[in-house]
Structures are given as C-alpha cells and as structure tokens.
Amino acid sequence: MTSVKLAPGATIGIIGGGQLGKMMAQSALRMGYRVAVLDPSEDAPAKATSHHFINAAFGDLEALKSLCGMSDVITYEFENIDAEILHTLVDDYYVPQGAKTVLTLQNRETEKQAIKDSGARIVPYEKVETPDAIRAFMETHGAPVIVKTATGGYDGKGQYLIESGADLDSAGIPFDETEFVVEKYITLEREVSLTIARSVSGQVIYFPLQENLHKDQILYRTIVPSRVDYAEQAQKEAERIMKALHFTGAFTIEFFVAEDGTLYVNEIAPRPHNSGHYSIEACNISQFDAHVLSILDHPMPEVYLHQDAVMMNLLGADLDRLDGELFTHPEWNVHVYGKTDRKPARKMGHVTVLTDDLEQTIDALDRDFLKETV
C-alpha cells in the first residue's frame, strides 16, 4: 500500500466509539490531528474526544461514507464490519489496514486456518456442523473440548465447554443458527499476549510480553512483563503470521502456554487490545500512540518499559464496590471510560499501577478490588 503522509490538522476517522476509540482519539488529539467517530450509541465514550460524531449503525453504508468523506484516513476499534461494506470503503477511501486480514480474522475457522498455514502453532481444531462431528473430534483428540461460534464471539460469549457426551447432549448448541468450530481443551499454565504495531511502510515494534488472567472469560488482570519468559518465541510466531497476513496498525496476538510449556497461538485482535492498556503509563509509547503513528506511517520509537506494571479491568461490579474509593489510592492510574449504562460484567474502566514489586502489588490490588463495601 502506498504511504500517505498526513500532517497535524488532518482528520482521522474512527469506526467505533467505545473505550478503544476514545483512547485512540486521545492519542490523535495530543498529536494535533482532528478526529471523526461513527458509533451506534448516541453517548459513546469517544464522542467527547471527537470533532465530528456520527450516530449511526456500523451497517449504515451511507453514514460510513459520510465519515470517510470528512476524514483523510480511516481506522477502526471495532473490526466486525460487514464484508461488502468494508470492501466498498477500502476501494474508495484510504483505509491502511485494508480488508483481507480483517475479514479473515472475523471468522474463527478462517483465522485458525490462516495461522496454521503461516507455520505458527495452534491448538487442534475443526469446523463442525453437527453433534456427531464433535463426537468424532473427541474420539480423535479426547475430552474435554471447547465449542465456539465461528463469528461474533468475545469475552467468552458463544463458547461451550464439553467434557462428555452427556454435556454435548444437554448443551443445546444452535447449529442451525450459526457456524461453529471445536478445539481441543488445553490445560493451561497461563495465558500471555503480545502487542505489536506495524506501519504502512513495514516498520515493526513490539511491546513487552503481557501475562493475562481471565475470570468468567473476561480479562481480569494483565501483568507486565510476563512472569514466564516466552517473548522471543512469541515474536517468532508473530513474524510467521505477519509474513502470511497483512497488518497495519496496532494488533495483539493472544497465546496459550500449556502445562508442558508449549506455546500455542489462540487468536488475533487486529486493533488495540485490552491487555495493552498498561502501556499508556508504563511505556514510552502507548499502543494507541503506536496505532496512530503506524497508520499515518510516521516513524515509531523502540518500545521500552518505564516500570513493571499491573493493569486491572474495572467492570460494572467493580465500580459498584469501589465508587467511593477509586481516587483514594494515589498509586492507581484510574481510567473510567464514560459509559452511561453500567452492567456487572461490562468493561467500564481500568486501573494501572506501576511497581518495583509485582507480587506485592498484585496482592494489594487483589485485596482492594475484591474488598466488599461496608
């Protein structure tokens, strides 16, 4: 793709106005760029950080064209954009991230096949259309297995843990409604992720390897640097994937570390990612800064970590407990996204703590986050 150099004052259009769009916009504004945002929520978090805000559905082609028409470059925080619409935008406007990779990653089956074809290691999987296909997979690979929707799943939505034939019989998997893949269940030692930024002209920078803990399939905590050292191996897997798939902007590869020490690629987010939020305070460049610089094809600095960090997600239930305490901890870097509809499992913000003692900080955060209000 031909690089388009845009000076400050140009407009960056962002499809999606959630917290990722807001933090992306904040980086762009700091660098002197104007921001236009499209989102279906009339009070989307990024509305407050945009010069132009279009309240429209992601499937509204005319509204998306309007966004593109007022923008010099288009990016997104929400990648599940209709294929036909995305091709139209890429053909007619400047969208450095393109369409092919995004469309490949929208579907778990095509994503896994592309990762496998790149030479990176993935957990054994198959596309399945019937319970009998799952039974056949279990006979080959053993139980338990995880059945996942091929499209639309996130934060554990659309996933079924199948430990036996009885589980399968009672799961009620709606094969007539969507596509599914089944994959072997791996007993994990832990999960890690690697955030990367690649510019239009091909410069690549890596953030430190991130160690992640999930609760109820939602990211709960990120520790940086990871306490297991798979950074070199993860970068080699990333290089294989980047040779096979086009990436521009910040993206994150999630990995499983099995009990036997094997590193598996789990999935790829072709945009800034929750596990990279710590970089705002902990690194010389945040993932959002890197994303803006890379889509504009500006040079990016090598990433270094100012200090070790722990990032904790603030879900709605956390805010319910901690509303009166968020700013009583001066060591907490608090980010509240500005979502008006608070739900117990919805990501409402995050807290990052820089530290010289990871274990002590983890213990303190666990104690303070889990503490019930009196």
PDB file of all heavy atoms in Angstrom, residues 178-211:
ATOM      1  N   THR A 178     -25.818 -20.626  13.429  1.00  0.00           N
ATOM      2  CA  THR A 178     -24.502 -20.070  13.093  1.00  0.00           C
ATOM      3  C   THR A 178     -23.498 -21.201  12.903  1.00  0.00           C
ATOM      4  O   THR A 178     -23.818 -22.378  13.092  1.00  0.00           O
ATOM      5  CB  THR A 178     -24.027 -19.093  14.187  1.00  0.00           C
ATOM      6  OG1 THR A 178     -22.833 -18.437  13.766  1.00  0.00           O
ATOM      7  CG2 THR A 178     -23.748 -19.826  15.494  1.00  0.00           C
ATOM      8  N   GLU A 179     -22.259 -20.855  12.521  1.00  0.00           N
ATOM      9  CA  GLU A 179     -21.204 -21.831  12.325  1.00  0.00           C
ATOM     10  C   GLU A 179     -20.407 -21.996  13.613  1.00  0.00           C
ATOM     11  O   GLU A 179     -20.296 -21.069  14.414  1.00  0.00           O
ATOM     12  CB  GLU A 179     -20.265 -21.375  11.204  1.00  0.00           C
ATOM     13  CG  GLU A 179     -20.938 -21.221   9.847  1.00  0.00           C
ATOM     14  CD  GLU A 179     -19.979 -20.691   8.803  1.00  0.00           C
ATOM     15  OE1 GLU A 179     -18.968 -20.057   9.177  1.00  0.00           O
ATOM     16  OE2 GLU A 179     -20.228 -20.906   7.603  1.00  0.00           O
ATOM     17  N   PHE A 180     -19.812 -23.176  13.787  1.00  0.00           N
ATOM     18  CA  PHE A 180     -19.032 -23.464  14.980  1.00  0.00           C
ATOM     19  C   PHE A 180     -17.710 -24.135  14.631  1.00  0.00           C
ATOM     20  O   PHE A 180     -17.592 -24.795  13.592  1.00  0.00           O
ATOM     21  CB  PHE A 180     -19.815 -24.393  15.928  1.00  0.00           C
ATOM     22  CG  PHE A 180     -20.975 -23.725  16.612  1.00  0.00           C
ATOM     23  CD1 PHE A 180     -22.232 -23.696  16.013  1.00  0.00           C
ATOM     24  CD2 PHE A 180     -20.815 -23.122  17.854  1.00  0.00           C
ATOM     25  CE1 PHE A 180     -23.305 -23.080  16.635  1.00  0.00           C
ATOM     26  CE2 PHE A 180     -21.882 -22.504  18.479  1.00  0.00           C
ATOM     27  CZ  PHE A 180     -23.133 -22.487  17.872  1.00  0.00           C
ATOM     28  N   VAL A 181     -16.749 -23.954  15.525  1.00  0.00           N
ATOM     29  CA  VAL A 181     -15.516 -24.730  15.476  1.00  0.00           C
ATOM     30  C   VAL A 181     -15.360 -25.412  16.835  1.00  0.00           C
ATOM     31  O   VAL A 181     -15.858 -24.914  17.855  1.00  0.00           O
ATOM     32  CB  VAL A 181     -14.266 -23.863  15.185  1.00  0.00           C
ATOM     33  CG1 VAL A 181     -14.351 -23.230  13.809  1.00  0.00           C
ATOM     34  CG2 VAL A 181     -14.064 -22.797  16.257  1.00  0.00           C
ATOM     35  N   VAL A 182     -14.692 -26.560  16.830  1.00  0.00           N
ATOM     36  CA  VAL A 182     -14.377 -27.254  18.072  1.00  0.00           C
ATOM     37  C   VAL A 182     -12.860 -27.325  18.172  1.00  0.00           C
ATOM     38  O   VAL A 182     -12.172 -27.512  17.172  1.00  0.00           O
ATOM     39  CB  VAL A 182     -14.993 -28.670  18.107  1.00  0.00           C
ATOM     40  CG1 VAL A 182     -14.510 -29.536  16.956  1.00  0.00           C
ATOM     41  CG2 VAL A 182     -14.707 -29.350  19.450  1.00  0.00           C
ATOM     42  N   GLU A 183     -12.342 -27.128  19.373  1.00  0.00           N
ATOM     43  CA  GLU A 183     -10.900 -27.240  19.560  1.00  0.00           C
ATOM     44  C   GLU A 183     -10.598 -28.019  20.834  1.00  0.00           C
ATOM     45  O   GLU A 183     -11.411 -28.071  21.761  1.00  0.00           O
ATOM     46  CB  GLU A 183     -10.222 -25.875  19.590  1.00  0.00           C
ATOM     47  CG  GLU A 183     -10.581 -24.980  20.737  1.00  0.00           C
ATOM     48  CD  GLU A 183      -9.866 -23.631  20.658  1.00  0.00           C
ATOM     49  OE1 GLU A 183      -9.812 -23.037  19.572  1.00  0.00           O
ATOM     50  OE2 GLU A 183      -9.389 -23.167  21.721  1.00  0.00           O
ATOM     51  N   LYS A 184      -9.450 -28.657  20.839  1.00  0.00           N
ATOM     52  CA  LYS A 184      -9.036 -29.438  21.990  1.00  0.00           C
ATOM     53  C   LYS A 184      -8.864 -28.519  23.196  1.00  0.00           C
ATOM     54  O   LYS A 184      -8.315 -27.424  23.073  1.00  0.00           O
ATOM     55  CB  LYS A 184      -7.717 -30.144  21.675  1.00  0.00           C
ATOM     56  CG  LYS A 184      -7.192 -31.040  22.788  1.00  0.00           C
ATOM     57  CD  LYS A 184      -5.932 -31.755  22.345  1.00  0.00           C
ATOM     58  CE  LYS A 184      -5.339 -32.571  23.488  1.00  0.00           C
ATOM     59  NZ  LYS A 184      -6.259 -33.599  24.002  1.00  0.00           N
ATOM     60  N   TYR A 185      -9.357 -28.952  24.326  1.00  0.00           N
ATOM     61  CA  TYR A 185      -9.181 -28.186  25.567  1.00  0.00           C
ATOM     62  C   TYR A 185      -7.767 -28.414  26.079  1.00  0.00           C
ATOM     63  O   TYR A 185      -7.328 -29.551  26.254  1.00  0.00           O
ATOM     64  CB  TYR A 185     -10.207 -28.620  26.609  1.00  0.00           C
ATOM     65  CG  TYR A 185     -10.088 -27.876  27.921  1.00  0.00           C
ATOM     66  CD1 TYR A 185     -10.720 -26.655  28.094  1.00  0.00           C
ATOM     67  CD2 TYR A 185      -9.339 -28.396  28.974  1.00  0.00           C
ATOM     68  CE1 TYR A 185     -10.612 -25.966  29.293  1.00  0.00           C
ATOM     69  CE2 TYR A 185      -9.229 -27.712  30.172  1.00  0.00           C
ATOM     70  CZ  TYR A 185      -9.867 -26.505  30.325  1.00  0.00           C
ATOM     71  OH  TYR A 185      -9.758 -25.822  31.511  1.00  0.00           O
ATOM     72  N   ILE A 186      -7.045 -27.311  26.294  1.00  0.00           N
ATOM     73  CA  ILE A 186      -5.667 -27.379  26.763  1.00  0.00           C
ATOM     74  C   ILE A 186      -5.618 -26.953  28.229  1.00  0.00           C
ATOM     75  O   ILE A 186      -6.132 -25.883  28.587  1.00  0.00           O
ATOM     76  CB  ILE A 186      -4.750 -26.455  25.918  1.00  0.00           C
ATOM     77  CG1 ILE A 186      -4.780 -26.862  24.440  1.00  0.00           C
ATOM     78  CG2 ILE A 186      -3.327 -26.490  26.458  1.00  0.00           C
ATOM     79  CD1 ILE A 186      -4.204 -28.203  24.148  1.00  0.00           C
ATOM     80  N   THR A 187      -5.027 -27.788  29.069  1.00  0.00           N
ATOM     81  CA  THR A 187      -4.809 -27.377  30.454  1.00  0.00           C
ATOM     82  C   THR A 187      -3.687 -26.354  30.468  1.00  0.00           C
ATOM     83  O   THR A 187      -2.562 -26.644  30.050  1.00  0.00           O
ATOM     84  CB  THR A 187      -4.441 -28.585  31.333  1.00  0.00           C
ATOM     85  OG1 THR A 187      -5.484 -29.556  31.247  1.00  0.00           O
ATOM     86  CG2 THR A 187      -4.289 -28.153  32.791  1.00  0.00           C
ATOM     87  N   LEU A 188      -4.005 -25.153  30.915  1.00  0.00           N
ATOM     88  CA  LEU A 188      -3.083 -24.034  30.761  1.00  0.00           C
ATOM     89  C   LEU A 188      -2.204 -23.834  31.982  1.00  0.00           C
ATOM     90  O   LEU A 188      -2.661 -23.953  33.122  1.00  0.00           O
ATOM     91  CB  LEU A 188      -3.865 -22.747  30.503  1.00  0.00           C
ATOM     92  CG  LEU A 188      -4.744 -22.708  29.247  1.00  0.00           C
ATOM     93  CD1 LEU A 188      -5.388 -21.341  29.117  1.00  0.00           C
ATOM     94  CD2 LEU A 188      -3.943 -23.038  28.003  1.00  0.00           C
ATOM     95  N   GLU A 189      -0.957 -23.483  31.690  1.00  0.00           N
ATOM     96  CA  GLU A 189      -0.067 -22.990  32.736  1.00  0.00           C
ATOM     97  C   GLU A 189      -0.342 -21.514  32.948  1.00  0.00           C
ATOM     98  O   GLU A 189      -0.375 -21.026  34.061  1.00  0.00           O
ATOM     99  CB  GLU A 189       1.391 -23.247  32.327  1.00  0.00           C
ATOM    100  CG  GLU A 189       2.383 -23.240  33.476  1.00  0.00           C
ATOM    101  CD  GLU A 189       2.827 -21.836  33.868  1.00  0.00           C
ATOM    102  OE1 GLU A 189       2.987 -21.000  32.964  1.00  0.00           O
ATOM    103  OE2 GLU A 189       3.002 -21.585  35.069  1.00  0.00           O
ATOM    104  N   ARG A 190      -0.580 -20.792  31.849  1.00  0.00           N
ATOM    105  CA  ARG A 190      -1.053 -19.410  31.885  1.00  0.00           C
ATOM    106  C   ARG A 190      -1.320 -18.918  30.467  1.00  0.00           C
ATOM    107  O   ARG A 190      -1.095 -19.639  29.499  1.00  0.00           O
ATOM    108  CB  ARG A 190      -0.092 -18.483  32.632  1.00  0.00           C
ATOM    109  CG  ARG A 190       1.251 -18.231  32.021  1.00  0.00           C
ATOM    110  CD  ARG A 190       2.168 -17.575  33.040  1.00  0.00           C
ATOM    111  NE  ARG A 190       2.516 -18.479  34.124  1.00  0.00           N
ATOM    112  CZ  ARG A 190       2.935 -18.067  35.329  1.00  0.00           C
ATOM    113  NH1 ARG A 190       3.039 -16.779  35.612  1.00  0.00           N
ATOM    114  NH2 ARG A 190       3.244 -18.932  36.278  1.00  0.00           N
ATOM    115  N   GLU A 191      -1.811 -17.685  30.371  1.00  0.00           N
ATOM    116  CA  GLU A 191      -2.071 -17.050  29.084  1.00  0.00           C
ATOM    117  C   GLU A 191      -1.218 -15.793  28.969  1.00  0.00           C
ATOM    118  O   GLU A 191      -1.048 -15.059  29.946  1.00  0.00           O
ATOM    119  CB  GLU A 191      -3.555 -16.687  28.949  1.00  0.00           C
ATOM    120  CG  GLU A 191      -4.488 -17.880  28.965  1.00  0.00           C
ATOM    121  CD  GLU A 191      -5.946 -17.490  28.924  1.00  0.00           C
ATOM    122  OE1 GLU A 191      -6.364 -16.909  27.911  1.00  0.00           O
ATOM    123  OE2 GLU A 191      -6.667 -17.768  29.902  1.00  0.00           O
ATOM    124  N   VAL A 192      -0.707 -15.541  27.775  1.00  0.00           N
ATOM    125  CA  VAL A 192       0.099 -14.355  27.523  1.00  0.00           C
ATOM    126  C   VAL A 192      -0.359 -13.721  26.216  1.00  0.00           C
ATOM    127  O   VAL A 192      -1.049 -14.340  25.410  1.00  0.00           O
ATOM    128  CB  VAL A 192       1.616 -14.680  27.467  1.00  0.00           C
ATOM    129  CG1 VAL A 192       2.111 -15.206  28.805  1.00  0.00           C
ATOM    130  CG2 VAL A 192       1.922 -15.677  26.352  1.00  0.00           C
ATOM    131  N   SER A 193       0.042 -12.479  26.008  1.00  0.00           N
ATOM    132  CA  SER A 193      -0.281 -11.808  24.748  1.00  0.00           C
ATOM    133  C   SER A 193       0.864 -10.893  24.353  1.00  0.00           C
ATOM    134  O   SER A 193       1.641 -10.432  25.198  1.00  0.00           O
ATOM    135  CB  SER A 193      -1.592 -11.014  24.858  1.00  0.00           C
ATOM    136  OG  SER A 193      -1.516 -10.012  25.847  1.00  0.00           O
ATOM    137  N   LEU A 194       0.949 -10.637  23.067  1.00  0.00           N
ATOM    138  CA  LEU A 194       1.997  -9.779  22.524  1.00  0.00           C
ATOM    139  C   LEU A 194       1.348  -8.709  21.661  1.00  0.00           C
ATOM    140  O   LEU A 194       0.650  -9.014  20.691  1.00  0.00           O
ATOM    141  CB  LEU A 194       2.978 -10.600  21.681  1.00  0.00           C
ATOM    142  CG  LEU A 194       4.184  -9.860  21.108  1.00  0.00           C
ATOM    143  CD1 LEU A 194       5.095  -9.353  22.224  1.00  0.00           C
ATOM    144  CD2 LEU A 194       4.975 -10.767  20.161  1.00  0.00           C
ATOM    145  N   THR A 195       1.546  -7.450  22.045  1.00  0.00           N
ATOM    146  CA  THR A 195       1.037  -6.326  21.263  1.00  0.00           C
ATOM    147  C   THR A 195       2.142  -5.822  20.342  1.00  0.00           C
ATOM    148  O   THR A 195       3.289  -5.660  20.755  1.00  0.00           O
ATOM    149  CB  THR A 195       0.554  -5.203  22.191  1.00  0.00           C
ATOM    150  OG1 THR A 195      -0.579  -5.682  22.941  1.00  0.00           O
ATOM    151  CG2 THR A 195       0.131  -3.969  21.406  1.00  0.00           C
ATOM    152  N   ILE A 196       1.768  -5.587  19.110  1.00  0.00           N
ATOM    153  CA  ILE A 196       2.704  -5.242  18.044  1.00  0.00           C
ATOM    154  C   ILE A 196       2.119  -4.070  17.269  1.00  0.00           C
ATOM    155  O   ILE A 196       0.898  -3.915  17.191  1.00  0.00           O
ATOM    156  CB  ILE A 196       2.875  -6.442  17.083  1.00  0.00           C
ATOM    157  CG1 ILE A 196       3.281  -7.705  17.862  1.00  0.00           C
ATOM    158  CG2 ILE A 196       3.885  -6.149  15.974  1.00  0.00           C
ATOM    159  CD1 ILE A 196       2.937  -8.994  17.152  1.00  0.00           C
ATOM    160  N   ALA A 197       2.960  -3.241  16.706  1.00  0.00           N
ATOM    161  CA  ALA A 197       2.488  -2.210  15.771  1.00  0.00           C
ATOM    162  C   ALA A 197       3.338  -2.298  14.509  1.00  0.00           C
ATOM    163  O   ALA A 197       4.564  -2.417  14.589  1.00  0.00           O
ATOM    164  CB  ALA A 197       2.568  -0.822  16.374  1.00  0.00           C
ATOM    165  N   ARG A 198       2.665  -2.253  13.371  1.00  0.00           N
ATOM    166  CA  ARG A 198       3.355  -2.308  12.077  1.00  0.00           C
ATOM    167  C   ARG A 198       2.870  -1.140  11.225  1.00  0.00           C
ATOM    168  O   ARG A 198       1.663  -0.942  11.058  1.00  0.00           O
ATOM    169  CB  ARG A 198       3.081  -3.622  11.363  1.00  0.00           C
ATOM    170  CG  ARG A 198       3.855  -3.804  10.056  1.00  0.00           C
ATOM    171  CD  ARG A 198       3.511  -5.130   9.394  1.00  0.00           C
ATOM    172  NE  ARG A 198       4.328  -5.379   8.232  1.00  0.00           N
ATOM    173  CZ  ARG A 198       4.081  -4.905   7.012  1.00  0.00           C
ATOM    174  NH1 ARG A 198       3.005  -4.123   6.829  1.00  0.00           N
ATOM    175  NH2 ARG A 198       4.872  -5.182   5.997  1.00  0.00           N
ATOM    176  N   SER A 199       3.804  -0.363  10.712  1.00  0.00           N
ATOM    177  CA  SER A 199       3.440   0.825   9.935  1.00  0.00           C
ATOM    178  C   SER A 199       3.134   0.458   8.488  1.00  0.00           C
ATOM    179  O   SER A 199       3.397  -0.656   8.029  1.00  0.00           O
ATOM    180  CB  SER A 199       4.578   1.845   9.968  1.00  0.00           C
ATOM    181  OG  SER A 199       5.685   1.378   9.198  1.00  0.00           O
ATOM    182  N   VAL A 200       2.591   1.416   7.761  1.00  0.00           N
ATOM    183  CA  VAL A 200       2.264   1.213   6.356  1.00  0.00           C
ATOM    184  C   VAL A 200       3.498   0.787   5.564  1.00  0.00           C
ATOM    185  O   VAL A 200       3.427  -0.084   4.691  1.00  0.00           O
ATOM    186  CB  VAL A 200       1.652   2.501   5.755  1.00  0.00           C
ATOM    187  CG1 VAL A 200       1.424   2.347   4.262  1.00  0.00           C
ATOM    188  CG2 VAL A 200       0.338   2.855   6.455  1.00  0.00           C
ATOM    189  N   SER A 201       4.641   1.369   5.883  1.00  0.00           N
ATOM    190  CA  SER A 201       5.864   1.048   5.142  1.00  0.00           C
ATOM    191  C   SER A 201       6.605  -0.158   5.714  1.00  0.00           C
ATOM    192  O   SER A 201       7.662  -0.536   5.208  1.00  0.00           O
ATOM    193  CB  SER A 201       6.800   2.260   5.112  1.00  0.00           C
ATOM    194  OG  SER A 201       7.142   2.668   6.420  1.00  0.00           O
ATOM    195  N   GLY A 202       6.071  -0.779   6.785  1.00  0.00           N
ATOM    196  CA  GLY A 202       6.619  -2.039   7.249  1.00  0.00           C
ATOM    197  C   GLY A 202       7.460  -1.998   8.506  1.00  0.00           C
ATOM    198  O   GLY A 202       7.982  -3.039   8.931  1.00  0.00           O
ATOM    199  N   GLN A 203       7.614  -0.833   9.145  1.00  0.00           N
ATOM    200  CA  GLN A 203       8.343  -0.816  10.410  1.00  0.00           C
ATOM    201  C   GLN A 203       7.519  -1.547  11.474  1.00  0.00           C
ATOM    202  O   GLN A 203       6.301  -1.373  11.564  1.00  0.00           O
ATOM    203  CB  GLN A 203       8.602   0.616  10.884  1.00  0.00           C
ATOM    204  CG  GLN A 203       9.409   0.677  12.174  1.00  0.00           C
ATOM    205  CD  GLN A 203       9.451   2.049  12.824  1.00  0.00           C
ATOM    206  OE1 GLN A 203       8.855   3.011  12.321  1.00  0.00           O
ATOM    207  NE2 GLN A 203      10.142   2.159  13.938  1.00  0.00           N
ATOM    208  N   VAL A 204       8.180  -2.376  12.274  1.00  0.00           N
ATOM    209  CA  VAL A 204       7.511  -3.165  13.296  1.00  0.00           C
ATOM    210  C   VAL A 204       8.129  -2.872  14.652  1.00  0.00           C
ATOM    211  O   VAL A 204       9.352  -2.833  14.797  1.00  0.00           O
ATOM    212  CB  VAL A 204       7.623  -4.675  13.000  1.00  0.00           C
ATOM    213  CG1 VAL A 204       6.977  -5.493  14.125  1.00  0.00           C
ATOM    214  CG2 VAL A 204       6.966  -5.015  11.667  1.00  0.00           C
ATOM    215  N   ILE A 205       7.280  -2.644  15.650  1.00  0.00           N
ATOM    216  CA  ILE A 205       7.753  -2.517  17.032  1.00  0.00           C
ATOM    217  C   ILE A 205       6.956  -3.479  17.909  1.00  0.00           C
ATOM    218  O   ILE A 205       5.782  -3.761  17.637  1.00  0.00           O
ATOM    219  CB  ILE A 205       7.651  -1.081  17.582  1.00  0.00           C
ATOM    220  CG1 ILE A 205       6.193  -0.574  17.565  1.00  0.00           C
ATOM    221  CG2 ILE A 205       8.566  -0.136  16.808  1.00  0.00           C
ATOM    222  CD1 ILE A 205       6.010   0.775  18.264  1.00  0.00           C
ATOM    223  N   TYR A 206       7.610  -3.983  18.957  1.00  0.00           N
ATOM    224  CA  TYR A 206       6.989  -4.938  19.872  1.00  0.00           C
ATOM    225  C   TYR A 206       6.902  -4.342  21.270  1.00  0.00           C
ATOM    226  O   TYR A 206       7.849  -3.723  21.753  1.00  0.00           O
ATOM    227  CB  TYR A 206       7.820  -6.222  19.949  1.00  0.00           C
ATOM    228  CG  TYR A 206       7.876  -7.012  18.666  1.00  0.00           C
ATOM    229  CD1 TYR A 206       8.938  -6.863  17.773  1.00  0.00           C
ATOM    230  CD2 TYR A 206       6.881  -7.929  18.344  1.00  0.00           C
ATOM    231  CE1 TYR A 206       9.002  -7.599  16.603  1.00  0.00           C
ATOM    232  CE2 TYR A 206       6.931  -8.669  17.172  1.00  0.00           C
ATOM    233  CZ  TYR A 206       7.994  -8.494  16.309  1.00  0.00           C
ATOM    234  OH  TYR A 206       8.058  -9.228  15.143  1.00  0.00           O
ATOM    235  N   PHE A 207       5.766  -4.566  21.903  1.00  0.00           N
ATOM    236  CA  PHE A 207       5.611  -4.229  23.303  1.00  0.00           C
ATOM    237  C   PHE A 207       6.063  -5.429  24.143  1.00  0.00           C
ATOM    238  O   PHE A 207       6.212  -6.544  23.622  1.00  0.00           O
ATOM    239  CB  PHE A 207       4.154  -3.857  23.597  1.00  0.00           C
ATOM    240  CG  PHE A 207       3.777  -2.504  23.045  1.00  0.00           C
ATOM    241  CD1 PHE A 207       3.459  -2.339  21.699  1.00  0.00           C
ATOM    242  CD2 PHE A 207       3.781  -1.384  23.868  1.00  0.00           C
ATOM    243  CE1 PHE A 207       3.147  -1.088  21.184  1.00  0.00           C
ATOM    244  CE2 PHE A 207       3.458  -0.125  23.362  1.00  0.00           C
ATOM    245  CZ  PHE A 207       3.151   0.018  22.017  1.00  0.00           C
ATOM    246  N   PRO A 208       6.285  -5.236  25.446  1.00  0.00           N
ATOM    247  CA  PRO A 208       6.694  -6.371  26.282  1.00  0.00           C
ATOM    248  C   PRO A 208       5.620  -7.467  26.284  1.00  0.00           C
ATOM    249  O   PRO A 208       4.427  -7.186  26.107  1.00  0.00           O
ATOM    250  CB  PRO A 208       6.832  -5.755  27.681  1.00  0.00           C
ATOM    251  CG  PRO A 208       6.993  -4.285  27.448  1.00  0.00           C
ATOM    252  CD  PRO A 208       6.215  -3.976  26.209  1.00  0.00           C
ATOM    253  N   LEU A 209       6.047  -8.706  26.485  1.00  0.00           N
ATOM    254  CA  LEU A 209       5.090  -9.802  26.594  1.00  0.00           C
ATOM    255  C   LEU A 209       4.228  -9.596  27.838  1.00  0.00           C
ATOM    256  O   LEU A 209       4.738  -9.304  28.922  1.00  0.00           O
ATOM    257  CB  LEU A 209       5.819 -11.142  26.673  1.00  0.00           C
ATOM    258  CG  LEU A 209       4.922 -12.381  26.557  1.00  0.00           C
ATOM    259  CD1 LEU A 209       4.324 -12.484  25.161  1.00  0.00           C
ATOM    260  CD2 LEU A 209       5.704 -13.643  26.890  1.00  0.00           C
ATOM    261  N   GLN A 210       2.922  -9.759  27.671  1.00  0.00           N
ATOM    262  CA  GLN A 210       1.936  -9.481  28.714  1.00  0.00           C
ATOM    263  C   GLN A 210       1.355 -10.788  29.250  1.00  0.00           C
ATOM    264  O   GLN A 210       0.993 -11.676  28.476  1.00  0.00           O
ATOM    265  CB  GLN A 210       0.813  -8.610  28.118  1.00  0.00           C
ATOM    266  CG  GLN A 210       1.317  -7.277  27.587  1.00  0.00           C
ATOM    267  CD  GLN A 210       0.737  -6.852  26.247  1.00  0.00           C
ATOM    268  OE1 GLN A 210       1.246  -5.926  25.611  1.00  0.00           O
ATOM    269  NE2 GLN A 210      -0.312  -7.508  25.771  1.00  0.00           N
ATOM    270  N   GLU A 211       1.270 -10.911  30.546  1.00  0.00           N
ATOM    271  CA  GLU A 211       0.672 -12.089  31.186  1.00  0.00           C
ATOM    272  C   GLU A 211      -0.744 -11.752  31.603  1.00  0.00           C
ATOM    273  O   GLU A 211      -0.973 -10.728  32.265  1.00  0.00           O
ATOM    274  CB  GLU A 211       1.509 -12.493  32.397  1.00  0.00           C
ATOM    275  CG  GLU A 211       0.949 -13.671  33.172  1.00  0.00           C
ATOM    276  CD  GLU A 211       1.742 -13.977  34.426  1.00  0.00           C
ATOM    277  OE1 GLU A 211       2.922 -13.557  34.518  1.00  0.00           O
ATOM    278  OE2 GLU A 211       1.185 -14.626  35.328  1.00  0.00           O
TER     279      GLU A 211
END
